């Protein structure tokens, strides 16, 4: 690819980032509500840890349990944001009626999808940091022994896989104009079940534990918990980061491939137009 | 700069066909013995369309709703794959050389589709960046084109949903023009506009052709518009081109059959036996 073509693709990629930032500015009220809801939701989940001693009537390490659940909510929120933004890329444009204009632009589909995912990474990371600060201040949690850099590294490595899964899920609104966006929630629910977001995967039946090894969220959660709860070193975290990079390396190209095939099918059957 | 394969022919369609199939009965009951195969309806949206649009021409495609005009525009826009035939833009095949075609074209549809909460400027900036324009270049072009279309500065920074239908359609035209396409596809761009907005859009279309060396394909069911704007007109009915020529030649053809001073409406009526305002969705049932 020549230098000017690269510049063209980079500018086109930035178009999606800039557009989404502009949309956030216009929907700022919704952003405040969404962030408040997310913080309240995270607090509600972490309070389960705070109340566990009373619930069970037995002594538990409350600080550890609160942190355990907090990491679950943070990871789940981060990955959900990426997944939602990427998979809703198509649904949103369908709703506004702009999908045909975007797909007519002379850019590669990879550029289109990378632009959407770049924004989701920044947005998801900003949200996660705000929630972490809010909950840490609320419970006065001690993070002095945590390897926060390592935790961020694991989170970023995991986000690649979720970008890939999000792209695959974006195919559903492309093929099913009426209910495609809702179908993407099924994928999220399955990941939530098998990945050990709020419990160790060892409590799952054996056959679900097999599936948990295929979910990138499992490795993200294990890595984050090792980094924050145990202060695990970067070298130790390689055990979780390596499978995440491998999954990301497979899922992102697979997502783009599946999307291209779906786009071709939609163009053959006339499903791109607004009325489906 | 992309080198054109064919300088003189902006658009060439050879035997282009497109059929839309929709299953009528999506039930497991059809698997039950005796229920037979499902019925499907098929709409021949384009049926062996062959035509050439010369460079620098304003070419009209005239037909009622459901005649295949928008399908034709979507095929040329790379948004629909034809079932058969070949479509080329300046010599580039719309299927095999999709990206090259995309660089040469842009389209305005009957429905001005935008991110409604964003302003005209924000929407145009998004469109311009998708076509590789830098922020500085895009801003300069946006200001110039919006000024030319008579959009006030205040309106340009309002959410698009606050603009009138006519204003929105002007912004849609500005979006297409920003990328300086050499083939501009206008799919009923003046439908639903008030007379003043319609005249402004029509004047801008003429200007695009005269001052910016653009070739324009315009679909419409407004005979007056076709007559005023188009160098040549193709009359399309049920996905087939039933006549093609200058408005004068088409009218002369009907006049020679005994109708004095015919309009394009008369031409359409004489050729198809129906009025342009009729819409149809003819379907043939196939097993």
């Amino acid at each position: 690819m020549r230098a000017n073509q690269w510049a063209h693709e980079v500018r086109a990629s930035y178009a999606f980032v800039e557009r989404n930032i502009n949309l956030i500015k216009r929907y700022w009220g919704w952003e405040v509500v969404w962030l408040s809801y997310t913080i309240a939701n995270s607090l509600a989940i972490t309070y389960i840890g705070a109340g566990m001693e009373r619930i069970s009537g037995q002594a538990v390490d409350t600080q550890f349990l609160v942190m355990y659940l907090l990491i679950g909510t943070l990871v789940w929120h981060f990955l959900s944001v990426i997944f939602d933004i990427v998979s809703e890329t198509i649904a949103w444009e369908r709703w506004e009626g702009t999908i045909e204009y975007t797909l007519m632009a002379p850019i590669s589909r990879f550029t289109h999808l990378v632009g959407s995912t770049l924004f989701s990474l920044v947005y998801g990371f900003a949200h996660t940091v705000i929630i972490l600060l809010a909950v840490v201040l609320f419970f006065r949690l001690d993070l002095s022994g945590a390897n926060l850099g390592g935790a961020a590294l694991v989170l970023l490595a995991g986000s690649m896989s979720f970008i890939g899964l999000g792209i695959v899920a974006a195919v559903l609104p492309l093929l099913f104009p009426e209910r495609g966006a809702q179908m993407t929630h099924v994928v999220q629910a399955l990941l939530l079940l098998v990945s050990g977001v709020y419990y160790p995967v060892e409590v799952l039946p054996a056959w679900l534990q097999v599936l948990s090894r295929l979910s990138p969220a499992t490795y993200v959660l294990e890595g984050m918990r090792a980094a924050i709860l145990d202060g695990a070193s970067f070298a130790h975290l390689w055990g979780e980061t390596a499978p995440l990079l491998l999954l990301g390396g497979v899922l992102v190209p697979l997502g783009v491939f599946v999307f291209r095939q779906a786009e071709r099918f939609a163009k053959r059957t006339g499903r791109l137009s607004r009325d489906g | 700069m992309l080198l054109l394969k064919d300088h003189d022919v902006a658009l060439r369609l050879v035997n282009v066909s497109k059929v839309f199939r929709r299953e009528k009965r999506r039930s497991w009951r059809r698997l039950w013995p005796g229920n037979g195969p499902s019925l499907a309806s098929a709409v021949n949206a384009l049926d062996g369309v062959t035509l050439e649009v010369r460079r620098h021409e304003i070419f009209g495609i005239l037909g009622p709703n459901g005649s295949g005009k928008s399908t034709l525009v979507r095929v040329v826009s790379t948004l629909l794959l034809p079932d058969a035939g070949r479509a080329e833009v300046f010599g580039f095949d719309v299927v095999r050389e999709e990206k090259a075609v995309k660089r040469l074209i842009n389209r305005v549809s009957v429905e001005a589709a935008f991110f409604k909460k964003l302003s005209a400027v924000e929407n145009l900036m998004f469109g311009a960046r998708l076509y590789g324009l830098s922020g500085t270049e895009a801003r300069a072009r946006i200001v110039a084109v919006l000024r030319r279309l008579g959009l006030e500065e205040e309106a340009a920074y309002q959410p698009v949903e606050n603009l009138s239908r006519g204003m929105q359609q002007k912004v849609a035209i500005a979006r297409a023009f920003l990328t300086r396409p050499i083939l501009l596809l206008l799919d009923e761009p003046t439908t639903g506009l008030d007379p003043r907005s319609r005249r402004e859009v029509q004047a801008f279309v003429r200007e695009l052709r005269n001052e910016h060396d653009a070739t324009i394909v315009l679909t419409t069911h407004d005979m007056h518009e076709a007559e005023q704007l188009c160098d040549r007109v193709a009359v399309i009915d049920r996905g087939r081109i039933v006549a093609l020529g200058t408005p004068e030649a088409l009218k002369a053809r009907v006049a020679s059959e005994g109708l004095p001073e015919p309009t394009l409406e008369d031409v359409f009526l004489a050729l198809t036996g129906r009025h342009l305002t009729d819409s149809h969705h003819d379907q043939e049932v196939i097993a």
Side-chain angles (χ1 to χ4, degrees):
Chain A
M1 199 185 277
R2 292 200 307 265
N4 61 343
Q5 280 176 299
W6 272 107
H8 177 119
E9 297 288 332
V10 169
R11 279 177 193 147
S13 223
Y14 179 67
F16 294 94
V17 178
E18 185 181 54
R19 182 200 66 189
N20 286 2
I21 290 170
N22 285 333
L23 283 168
I24 281 183
K25 282 193 258 176
R26 297 284 175 180
Y27 288 99
W28 67 269
W30 162 249
E31 291 299 326
V32 172
V33 170
W34 175 235
L35 192 57
S36 307
Y37 164 80
T38 309
I39 291 171
N41 202 35
S42 300
L43 286 171
I45 290 168
T46 43
Y47 260 112
I48 295 171
M52 190 49 75
E53 218 168 62
R54 287 195 172 206
I55 295 169
S56 66
Q58 292 177 358
V60 293
D61 185 345
T62 301
Q63 168 96 359
F64 179 88
L65 202 51
V66 166
M67 286 295 287
Y68 188 94
L69 292 171
L70 171 61
I71 293 165
T73 61
L74 289 178
V75 170
W76 188 244
H77 181 70
F78 179 73
L79 299 178
S80 296
V81 163
I82 291 177
F83 194 84
D84 283 345
I85 291 179
V86 178
S87 62
E88 284 176 7
T89 295
I90 296 302
W92 202 346
E93 292 225 34
R94 245 190 202 291
W95 184 61
E96 294 278 17
T98 56
I99 181 101
E100 289 192 325
Y101 292 93
T102 302
L103 294 182
M104 257 182 72
I107 54 168
S108 72
R109 203 51 62 223
F110 185 74
T111 301
H112 174 185
L113 296 167
V114 162
S116 303
T117 55
L118 272 178
F119 170 79
S120 71
L121 278 179
V122 175
Y123 181 86
F125 207 81
H127 254 225
T128 305
V129 169
I130 293 170
I131 297 166
L132 176 65
L133 288 175
V135 179
V136 165
L137 288 173
F138 208 87
F139 285 100
R140 298 179 189 283
L141 298 173
D142 178 16
L143 292 175
S144 57
N147 177 4
L148 291 176
L153 184 77
V154 171
L155 200 59
L156 281 176
S159 61
M160 298 308 294
S161 305
F162 271 77
I163 285 169
L165 286 172
I167 294 172
V168 173
V171 164
L172 293 169
L174 192 69
L175 298 182
F176 305 101
E178 288 168 3
R179 291 285 171 199
Q182 286 86 339
M183 287 182 194
T184 62
H185 297 310
V186 176
V187 183
Q188 277 178 285
L190 288 173
L191 289 173
L192 178 67
L193 173 68
V194 302
S195 304
V197 176
Y198 301 119
Y199 42 79
V201 291
E202 288 75 20
V203 303
L204 293 169
W207 64 276
L208 279 180
Q209 286 189 46
V210 174
L211 291 180
S212 77
R213 290 292 121 201
L214 299 174
S215 164
T218 306
Y219 301 98
V220 175
L221 286 156
E222 288 176 353
M224 291 272 289
R225 283 180 177 136
I228 293 175
L229 296 175
D230 307 330
S233 65
F234 284 100
H236 181 89
L237 295 173
W238 180 243
E240 284 77 30
T241 313
L244 285 173
L245 293 176
L246 184 70
L247 280 169
V250 172
L251 287 170
V252 172
L254 178 72
V256 175
F257 174 78
V258 170
F259 192 94
R260 280 194 187 129
Q261 298 306 310
E263 183 182 341
R264 196 168 172 80
F265 176 77
K267 284 181 177 180
R268 204 171 64 238
T269 53
R271 291 183 188 221
L272 288 183
S273 58
R274 199 172 191 178
D275 56 7
Chain B
M1 179 67 192
L2 198 67
L3 292 174
L4 303 179
K5 282 187 175 175
D6 192 333
H7 280 272
D8 299 322
V9 180
L11 175 64
R12 179 181 283 125
L13 302 178
V14 182
N15 270 324
V16 172
S17 295
K18 184 74 200 170
V19 177
F20 292 115
R21 290 186 171 81
R22 284 194 172 83
E23 232 175 71
K24 274 186 173 172
R25 185 147 41 102
R26 300 171 71 93
S27 165
W28 293 106
R29 275 182 294 180
R30 73 170 192 258
L31 298 175
W32 198 257
N35 275 357
S38 69
L39 291 175
S41 62
V43 180
N44 281 312
L46 293 177
D47 189 2
V49 171
T50 297
L51 59 83
E52 276 189 1
V53 178
R54 293 191 283 266
R55 183 179 187 171
H56 205 56
E57 213 176 12
I58 298 181
F59 188 91
I61 299 172
L62 188 64
N65 293 334
S67 59
K69 302 189 299 292
S70 295
T71 301
L72 193 152
V73 168
R74 281 201 169 91
V75 166
V76 179
S77 308
T78 75
L79 294 169
L80 263 181
L81 295 174
D83 294 334
R86 200 172 73 246
E88 292 174 357
V89 173
F90 286 100
F92 293 103
D93 189 283
V94 299
V95 178
R96 286 182 287 107
E97 297 165 292
E98 183 185 311
K99 204 165 175 182
V101 170
K102 285 175 171 176
R103 287 197 193 103
L104 301 176
I105 64 169
N106 214 320
R107 163 178 171 254
V108 177
S109 66
V110 62
E111 203 175 314
F114 292 105
F115 284 88
K116 301 283 191 299
K117 290 281 179 199
L118 297 186
S119 69
V121 171
E122 286 165 341
N123 271 291
L124 294 181
M125 185 61 86
F126 174 60
R129 283 199 197 277
L130 285 185
Y131 282 75
L133 269 66
S134 69
T136 316
E137 194 181 0
R139 263 183 287 277
R141 284 198 200 179
I142 288 167
V143 169
V145 74
L146 289 181
R147 198 169 283 160
R148 165 62 193 86
L149 284 166
L151 205 73
E152 301 284 330
E153 191 177 343
E154 197 187 328
Y157 289 95
Q158 292 266 320
V160 169
E161 66 184 0
N162 294 352
L163 303 181
S164 67
R165 166 95 174 81
M167 287 285 193
Q168 288 188 19
Q169 197 62 349
K170 282 182 183 176
V171 178
I173 290 171
R175 173 172 57 191
F177 180 60
L178 265 185
T179 62
R180 298 193 178 153
I182 58 172
L183 175 63
L184 187 57
L185 304 157
L186 302 176
D187 192 4
E188 301 193 29
T190 59
T191 298
L193 297 190
D194 60 77
R196 186 181 159 193
S197 297
R198 184 177 297 179
R199 276 198 300 275
E200 284 173 355
V201 168
Q202 288 169 351
F204 190 60
V205 170
R206 278 194 205 92
E207 184 185 315
L208 283 178
R209 190 269 297 273
N210 296 337
E211 295 178 20
H212 301 280
D213 195 28
T215 304
I216 291 157
V217 172
L218 171 88
T219 76
T220 184
H221 55 244
D222 180 336
M223 302 76 61
H224 185 67
E225 182 169 273
E227 216 164 334
Q228 292 287 308
L229 278 178
C230 301
D231 301 311
R232 289 192 303 148
V233 170
V235 179
I236 189 168
D237 182 43
R238 301 168 204 249
R240 297 178 72 89
I241 302 292
V242 293
L244 197 158
T246 62
E248 293 72 30
L250 291 177
K251 286 189 285 185
R253 185 169 150 184
V254 175
S256 68
E257 290 167 13
L259 191 67
E261 295 183 26
T263 63
L264 279 180
E265 170 83 42
D266 297 323
V267 171
F268 188 83
L269 186 64
L271 291 169
T272 66
R274 290 182 303 108
H275 288 277
L276 262 171
T277 46
D278 295 344
S279 65
H280 61 82
H281 301 280
D282 294 337
Q283 298 181 344
E284 60 182 83
V285 176
I286 61 170

